[in-house]
Each structure stands twice: as structure tokens, then as C-alpha cells.
Amino acid sequence: LEPISEERASSAALTSDVGTPEPAPEEGDAPIGTTPVMLTTARRQASGLSTASAHFVELGGDRRWPAVVEPRDGGRAEVRVRAPAFVERVQVRETGERVRRGQVLAWMYSPDVLRAEEELLTAHRWVSTASEGAPLTASGAATSDLEPAARRRLELLGATAADIAGILAEGRAQRALPLRSPIDGVVTRYEAVLGAYAGPENVLYEITDYARVRVVASVVEPHGVDPSVIATAELIRRDDGRSVPLELELVEPTTESSTRATRVRFLAPNGDGSLRPGDIGEVVVHSTARPALVVPRDAVI
């Protein structure tokens, strides 16, 4: 670029030498320390520069983010004994096996549980004998409280109402009580070895519920992710291209230092179990319109 003298700035000179002049800037428009210059049309086209006014528009539309399927933190359950016990029999002995809530996983022998069963049967006999005889006295009323207390003790040791009903119906203590699954899910950890000793600190089974899974999208946005602009979202599966509706769970408040990406978590229904942890896909987010100050991409240097 070279300065244009006032003599050349006349209409005739600009038309013949430099081309059509740009409008002269008004006083105060130019930044301090700069000088207006003029370029020919050919020079402007060769430089590839374009200019435009910045203005507000309503931005919205779809966004696509890579995502991976993970298990939910709240979908995991650990199966333990509540008193020291020995594994008498193992029913479920493979990881990956689907189990139902209340299904028997193993049978456990515990001296503490066996003692509580005998106390329940003794209290039940006392109450039955007292009810067949004379009306309860003060001591008889105290005797009637023994059975609920013994039942409560067994429940605290892990026995279910069905187990207690079976003990009372049979009329004798059972050597081993069943260890049941607390939720529907898949066995993801198995430590119940036949004959092994287990205490409350030992995890015998880990059950994971995959009826709902977490879909985590990695988002690289210079200004972060605003949850309010996410209207709806869906997961496009990589294997078959099917669409799964998603529910926004959380935009994590931290950014990964290596990738500078923000983790956006969604929840997806998975009743058929077709979504497995580790599956990858693409989250399509339908955003609500919002005002934004924009310029053409080519105008930014």
C-alpha cells in the first residue's frame, strides 16, 4: 500500500489510476494511529478481503456431537451379607447374566441368622400357647412383643418377608437363607465362591441396571454449552443408524484439559438392552433460537 496525495484524490485521478474511491470516513470513525487508504477494485479482489456489517440474527438449528454410551452411576447395586456367613450354594455364577429383582443368587449359612430364626420360632410358639390359654396378663403382653422383635431382627439381618413366612410355615430354622438380587439388571461382578467366608465388607455380586443408560457427548464450544438452548436431542447409533430419544441430565461444570471438551450427559431408555456401554454414536441436538451478533466468516481476519 502507498499513501494517496490530495492531488491524486480528485475524481479524475482516482477514476483513471486507482479506481472508484471508497467513501471518506467521518471524523472520529478511524482508530487512533491509522490512516485511510484506497485500493483499486482489482487489488481488493486479488487480496480476497470482504467486509460486512455486524448485526444480530436468531441462531438455532441442529448441532452434532460425538458421543459414547456409559452405565448410569445410580443404576448399580452391590449384594452383601449383613452378618458373617459362608457360601453354601451358588445359583448365579457368571458375569453378564441377567437377573430379576428378588431372584436367588446364592444360599448363605450364618450362625447369627440361624440363631435369630430359632428366636423367632420360640417367640411364635410362646405367643401361640398364650393365645390358646387365659387372657394375657402384663407378663403375657410382654411375651406377645417377642415375635415382632424377633421378626424385626431377622429383617435387619437380610431376610425377606417371604423367607420369614417360609420359616414360620415349616416350623423349623433353615440352615441356609437365600441371597437375593435387589434390582433387575446384569451381573457385572461375581465373587460368591462356593464354601468361601464372607463378611459385610465383602461384595459378593454387583448388579448393574441397563434399563436406562447414560449417553455422554464431548462438546468443544468456545463459550461453553448453555443447557437452556437444548430443546430436544436424539442419539443416532453408529451401527444401524437408528434414532433414540434423549433426556438432558447434566452439563458437567469442568472441561477436559487434554481435549478442551465439555461432557454433556443425557439419559436414554434401553428396555431392550440394545445400547451397551462402550457403544458410540452421534448426538443430534435441536436448539432453540437465540439472538447472536454475527458477521460473515470471510470478513474475519
Side-chain angles (χ1 to χ4, degrees), residues 118-140:
E118 293 171 347
E119 292 175 358
L120 172 65
L121 291 172
T122 301
H124 181 70
R125 295 190 192 101
W126 284 351
V127 171
S128 299
T129 302
S131 62
E132 293 173 358
L136 293 176
T137 61
S139 60

PDB file of all heavy atoms in Angstrom, residues 118-140:
ATOM      1  N   GLU A 118     -34.209 -69.243  65.244  1.00  0.00           N
ATOM      2  CA  GLU A 118     -34.661 -70.025  66.397  1.00  0.00           C
ATOM      3  C   GLU A 118     -35.383 -69.142  67.409  1.00  0.00           C
ATOM      4  O   GLU A 118     -36.375 -69.545  68.024  1.00  0.00           O
ATOM      5  CB  GLU A 118     -33.466 -70.729  67.032  1.00  0.00           C
ATOM      6  CG  GLU A 118     -32.851 -71.797  66.132  1.00  0.00           C
ATOM      7  CD  GLU A 118     -31.552 -72.344  66.676  1.00  0.00           C
ATOM      8  OE1 GLU A 118     -31.004 -71.718  67.617  1.00  0.00           O
ATOM      9  OE2 GLU A 118     -31.075 -73.366  66.159  1.00  0.00           O
ATOM     10  N   GLU A 119     -34.910 -67.916  67.584  1.00  0.00           N
ATOM     11  CA  GLU A 119     -35.591 -66.989  68.495  1.00  0.00           C
ATOM     12  C   GLU A 119     -36.984 -66.648  67.968  1.00  0.00           C
ATOM     13  O   GLU A 119     -37.939 -66.545  68.754  1.00  0.00           O
ATOM     14  CB  GLU A 119     -34.757 -65.718  68.651  1.00  0.00           C
ATOM     15  CG  GLU A 119     -33.446 -65.925  69.396  1.00  0.00           C
ATOM     16  CD  GLU A 119     -32.600 -64.670  69.421  1.00  0.00           C
ATOM     17  OE1 GLU A 119     -33.048 -63.656  68.811  1.00  0.00           O
ATOM     18  OE2 GLU A 119     -31.523 -64.670  70.042  1.00  0.00           O
ATOM     19  N   LEU A 120     -37.111 -66.490  66.673  1.00  0.00           N
ATOM     20  CA  LEU A 120     -38.422 -66.200  66.088  1.00  0.00           C
ATOM     21  C   LEU A 120     -39.369 -67.362  66.299  1.00  0.00           C
ATOM     22  O   LEU A 120     -40.547 -67.168  66.684  1.00  0.00           O
ATOM     23  CB  LEU A 120     -38.268 -65.908  64.595  1.00  0.00           C
ATOM     24  CG  LEU A 120     -39.581 -65.766  63.803  1.00  0.00           C
ATOM     25  CD1 LEU A 120     -40.360 -64.541  64.286  1.00  0.00           C
ATOM     26  CD2 LEU A 120     -39.297 -65.665  62.308  1.00  0.00           C
ATOM     27  N   LEU A 121     -38.913 -68.577  66.079  1.00  0.00           N
ATOM     28  CA  LEU A 121     -39.781 -69.752  66.261  1.00  0.00           C
ATOM     29  C   LEU A 121     -40.186 -69.913  67.726  1.00  0.00           C
ATOM     30  O   LEU A 121     -41.345 -70.235  68.026  1.00  0.00           O
ATOM     31  CB  LEU A 121     -39.058 -71.006  65.766  1.00  0.00           C
ATOM     32  CG  LEU A 121     -38.842 -71.083  64.246  1.00  0.00           C
ATOM     33  CD1 LEU A 121     -37.945 -72.258  63.890  1.00  0.00           C
ATOM     34  CD2 LEU A 121     -40.173 -71.202  63.518  1.00  0.00           C
ATOM     35  N   THR A 122     -39.260 -69.674  68.646  1.00  0.00           N
ATOM     36  CA  THR A 122     -39.582 -69.773  70.072  1.00  0.00           C
ATOM     37  C   THR A 122     -40.612 -68.723  70.468  1.00  0.00           C
ATOM     38  O   THR A 122     -41.599 -69.027  71.167  1.00  0.00           O
ATOM     39  CB  THR A 122     -38.308 -69.602  70.910  1.00  0.00           C
ATOM     40  OG1 THR A 122     -37.359 -70.608  70.555  1.00  0.00           O
ATOM     41  CG2 THR A 122     -38.621 -69.710  72.395  1.00  0.00           C
ATOM     42  N   ALA A 123     -40.428 -67.487  70.016  1.00  0.00           N
ATOM     43  CA  ALA A 123     -41.394 -66.434  70.326  1.00  0.00           C
ATOM     44  C   ALA A 123     -42.752 -66.753  69.715  1.00  0.00           C
ATOM     45  O   ALA A 123     -43.803 -66.495  70.324  1.00  0.00           O
ATOM     46  CB  ALA A 123     -40.870 -65.093  69.817  1.00  0.00           C
ATOM     47  N   HIS A 124     -42.753 -67.324  68.515  1.00  0.00           N
ATOM     48  CA  HIS A 124     -44.025 -67.659  67.861  1.00  0.00           C
ATOM     49  C   HIS A 124     -44.762 -68.743  68.655  1.00  0.00           C
ATOM     50  O   HIS A 124     -45.992 -68.679  68.816  1.00  0.00           O
ATOM     51  CB  HIS A 124     -43.745 -68.138  66.441  1.00  0.00           C
ATOM     52  CG  HIS A 124     -44.982 -68.483  65.667  1.00  0.00           C
ATOM     53  ND1 HIS A 124     -45.884 -67.542  65.241  1.00  0.00           N
ATOM     54  CD2 HIS A 124     -45.474 -69.697  65.254  1.00  0.00           C
ATOM     55  CE1 HIS A 124     -46.864 -68.125  64.589  1.00  0.00           C
ATOM     56  NE2 HIS A 124     -46.647 -69.444  64.592  1.00  0.00           N
ATOM     57  N   ARG A 125     -44.038 -69.735  69.177  1.00  0.00           N
ATOM     58  CA  ARG A 125     -44.674 -70.797  69.972  1.00  0.00           C
ATOM     59  C   ARG A 125     -45.226 -70.215  71.270  1.00  0.00           C
ATOM     60  O   ARG A 125     -46.327 -70.596  71.718  1.00  0.00           O
ATOM     61  CB  ARG A 125     -43.663 -71.899  70.268  1.00  0.00           C
ATOM     62  CG  ARG A 125     -43.177 -72.643  69.016  1.00  0.00           C
ATOM     63  CD  ARG A 125     -42.359 -73.871  69.416  1.00  0.00           C
ATOM     64  NE  ARG A 125     -41.654 -74.419  68.258  1.00  0.00           N
ATOM     65  CZ  ARG A 125     -40.370 -74.220  68.009  1.00  0.00           C
ATOM     66  NH1 ARG A 125     -39.642 -73.465  68.837  1.00  0.00           N
ATOM     67  NH2 ARG A 125     -39.808 -74.764  66.964  1.00  0.00           N
ATOM     68  N   TRP A 126     -44.496 -69.330  71.918  1.00  0.00           N
ATOM     69  CA  TRP A 126     -44.973 -68.729  73.169  1.00  0.00           C
ATOM     70  C   TRP A 126     -46.263 -67.950  72.929  1.00  0.00           C
ATOM     71  O   TRP A 126     -47.217 -68.054  73.706  1.00  0.00           O
ATOM     72  CB  TRP A 126     -43.916 -67.799  73.729  1.00  0.00           C
ATOM     73  CG  TRP A 126     -42.769 -68.525  74.384  1.00  0.00           C
ATOM     74  CD1 TRP A 126     -42.689 -69.861  74.658  1.00  0.00           C
ATOM     75  CD2 TRP A 126     -41.543 -67.944  74.838  1.00  0.00           C
ATOM     76  NE1 TRP A 126     -41.490 -70.168  75.232  1.00  0.00           N
ATOM     77  CE2 TRP A 126     -40.755 -69.013  75.376  1.00  0.00           C
ATOM     78  CE3 TRP A 126     -41.018 -66.663  74.854  1.00  0.00           C
ATOM     79  CZ2 TRP A 126     -39.494 -68.802  75.915  1.00  0.00           C
ATOM     80  CZ3 TRP A 126     -39.762 -66.451  75.399  1.00  0.00           C
ATOM     81  CH2 TRP A 126     -39.011 -67.510  75.913  1.00  0.00           C
ATOM     82  N   VAL A 127     -46.285 -67.184  71.853  1.00  0.00           N
ATOM     83  CA  VAL A 127     -47.479 -66.387  71.580  1.00  0.00           C
ATOM     84  C   VAL A 127     -48.654 -67.303  71.247  1.00  0.00           C
ATOM     85  O   VAL A 127     -49.787 -67.070  71.677  1.00  0.00           O
ATOM     86  CB  VAL A 127     -47.197 -65.397  70.422  1.00  0.00           C
ATOM     87  CG1 VAL A 127     -48.490 -64.709  69.979  1.00  0.00           C
ATOM     88  CG2 VAL A 127     -46.172 -64.362  70.859  1.00  0.00           C
ATOM     89  N   SER A 128     -48.402 -68.363  70.504  1.00  0.00           N
ATOM     90  CA  SER A 128     -49.481 -69.294  70.155  1.00  0.00           C
ATOM     91  C   SER A 128     -50.017 -69.989  71.393  1.00  0.00           C
ATOM     92  O   SER A 128     -51.240 -70.148  71.558  1.00  0.00           O
ATOM     93  CB  SER A 128     -48.962 -70.343  69.160  1.00  0.00           C
ATOM     94  OG  SER A 128     -48.521 -69.717  67.974  1.00  0.00           O
ATOM     95  N   THR A 129     -49.123 -70.386  72.314  1.00  0.00           N
ATOM     96  CA  THR A 129     -49.556 -71.042  73.549  1.00  0.00           C
ATOM     97  C   THR A 129     -50.339 -70.077  74.424  1.00  0.00           C
ATOM     98  O   THR A 129     -51.382 -70.435  75.010  1.00  0.00           O
ATOM     99  CB  THR A 129     -48.325 -71.564  74.311  1.00  0.00           C
ATOM    100  OG1 THR A 129     -47.601 -72.458  73.485  1.00  0.00           O
ATOM    101  CG2 THR A 129     -48.758 -72.272  75.589  1.00  0.00           C
ATOM    102  N   ALA A 130     -49.896 -68.837  74.521  1.00  0.00           N
ATOM    103  CA  ALA A 130     -50.592 -67.850  75.347  1.00  0.00           C
ATOM    104  C   ALA A 130     -51.967 -67.533  74.778  1.00  0.00           C
ATOM    105  O   ALA A 130     -52.921 -67.312  75.525  1.00  0.00           O
ATOM    106  CB  ALA A 130     -49.747 -66.583  75.459  1.00  0.00           C
ATOM    107  N   SER A 131     -52.105 -67.504  73.478  1.00  0.00           N
ATOM    108  CA  SER A 131     -53.396 -67.163  72.875  1.00  0.00           C
ATOM    109  C   SER A 131     -54.417 -68.265  73.061  1.00  0.00           C
ATOM    110  O   SER A 131     -55.623 -68.020  73.047  1.00  0.00           O
ATOM    111  CB  SER A 131     -53.217 -66.879  71.387  1.00  0.00           C
ATOM    112  OG  SER A 131     -52.724 -68.046  70.718  1.00  0.00           O
ATOM    113  N   GLU A 132     -53.962 -69.522  73.260  1.00  0.00           N
ATOM    114  CA  GLU A 132     -54.882 -70.627  73.456  1.00  0.00           C
ATOM    115  C   GLU A 132     -55.336 -70.738  74.894  1.00  0.00           C
ATOM    116  O   GLU A 132     -56.343 -71.391  75.181  1.00  0.00           O
ATOM    117  CB  GLU A 132     -54.196 -71.939  73.045  1.00  0.00           C
ATOM    118  CG  GLU A 132     -53.907 -72.009  71.555  1.00  0.00           C
ATOM    119  CD  GLU A 132     -53.088 -73.237  71.193  1.00  0.00           C
ATOM    120  OE1 GLU A 132     -52.733 -73.981  72.148  1.00  0.00           O
ATOM    121  OE2 GLU A 132     -52.807 -73.441  69.995  1.00  0.00           O
ATOM    122  N   GLY A 133     -54.604 -70.095  75.832  1.00  0.00           N
ATOM    123  CA  GLY A 133     -54.936 -70.200  77.239  1.00  0.00           C
ATOM    124  C   GLY A 133     -55.735 -69.012  77.727  1.00  0.00           C
ATOM    125  O   GLY A 133     -56.563 -68.428  77.025  1.00  0.00           O
ATOM    126  N   ALA A 134     -55.440 -68.601  78.953  1.00  0.00           N
ATOM    127  CA  ALA A 134     -56.153 -67.496  79.595  1.00  0.00           C
ATOM    128  C   ALA A 134     -55.763 -66.179  78.935  1.00  0.00           C
ATOM    129  O   ALA A 134     -54.770 -66.084  78.231  1.00  0.00           O
ATOM    130  CB  ALA A 134     -55.803 -67.472  81.091  1.00  0.00           C
ATOM    131  N   PRO A 135     -56.561 -65.108  79.169  1.00  0.00           N
ATOM    132  CA  PRO A 135     -56.202 -63.788  78.645  1.00  0.00           C
ATOM    133  C   PRO A 135     -54.819 -63.363  79.120  1.00  0.00           C
ATOM    134  O   PRO A 135     -54.377 -63.720  80.215  1.00  0.00           O
ATOM    135  CB  PRO A 135     -57.300 -62.871  79.202  1.00  0.00           C
ATOM    136  CG  PRO A 135     -58.448 -63.792  79.466  1.00  0.00           C
ATOM    137  CD  PRO A 135     -57.852 -65.102  79.882  1.00  0.00           C
ATOM    138  N   LEU A 136     -54.141 -62.584  78.275  1.00  0.00           N
ATOM    139  CA  LEU A 136     -52.777 -62.169  78.561  1.00  0.00           C
ATOM    140  C   LEU A 136     -52.731 -61.243  79.767  1.00  0.00           C
ATOM    141  O   LEU A 136     -53.530 -60.322  79.898  1.00  0.00           O
ATOM    142  CB  LEU A 136     -52.179 -61.457  77.352  1.00  0.00           C
ATOM    143  CG  LEU A 136     -51.938 -62.331  76.115  1.00  0.00           C
ATOM    144  CD1 LEU A 136     -51.441 -61.466  74.981  1.00  0.00           C
ATOM    145  CD2 LEU A 136     -50.954 -63.442  76.414  1.00  0.00           C
ATOM    146  N   THR A 137     -51.797 -61.544  80.678  1.00  0.00           N
ATOM    147  CA  THR A 137     -51.514 -60.641  81.785  1.00  0.00           C
ATOM    148  C   THR A 137     -50.437 -59.660  81.343  1.00  0.00           C
ATOM    149  O   THR A 137     -50.072 -59.608  80.175  1.00  0.00           O
ATOM    150  CB  THR A 137     -51.039 -61.455  83.006  1.00  0.00           C
ATOM    151  OG1 THR A 137     -49.837 -62.151  82.638  1.00  0.00           O
ATOM    152  CG2 THR A 137     -52.102 -62.474  83.420  1.00  0.00           C
ATOM    153  N   ALA A 138     -49.915 -58.911  82.303  1.00  0.00           N
ATOM    154  CA  ALA A 138     -48.852 -57.965  81.946  1.00  0.00           C
ATOM    155  C   ALA A 138     -47.647 -58.700  81.395  1.00  0.00           C
ATOM    156  O   ALA A 138     -47.036 -58.287  80.414  1.00  0.00           O
ATOM    157  CB  ALA A 138     -48.466 -57.141  83.180  1.00  0.00           C
ATOM    158  N   SER A 139     -47.292 -59.843  82.050  1.00  0.00           N
ATOM    159  CA  SER A 139     -46.161 -60.620  81.546  1.00  0.00           C
ATOM    160  C   SER A 139     -46.497 -61.249  80.203  1.00  0.00           C
ATOM    161  O   SER A 139     -45.654 -61.372  79.328  1.00  0.00           O
ATOM    162  CB  SER A 139     -45.763 -61.697  82.557  1.00  0.00           C
ATOM    163  OG  SER A 139     -46.869 -62.576  82.775  1.00  0.00           O
ATOM    164  N   GLY A 140     -47.763 -61.636  80.015  1.00  0.00           N
ATOM    165  CA  GLY A 140     -48.169 -62.204  78.727  1.00  0.00           C
ATOM    166  C   GLY A 140     -48.118 -61.174  77.623  1.00  0.00           C
ATOM    167  O   GLY A 140     -47.750 -61.475  76.479  1.00  0.00           O
TER     168      GLY A 140
END
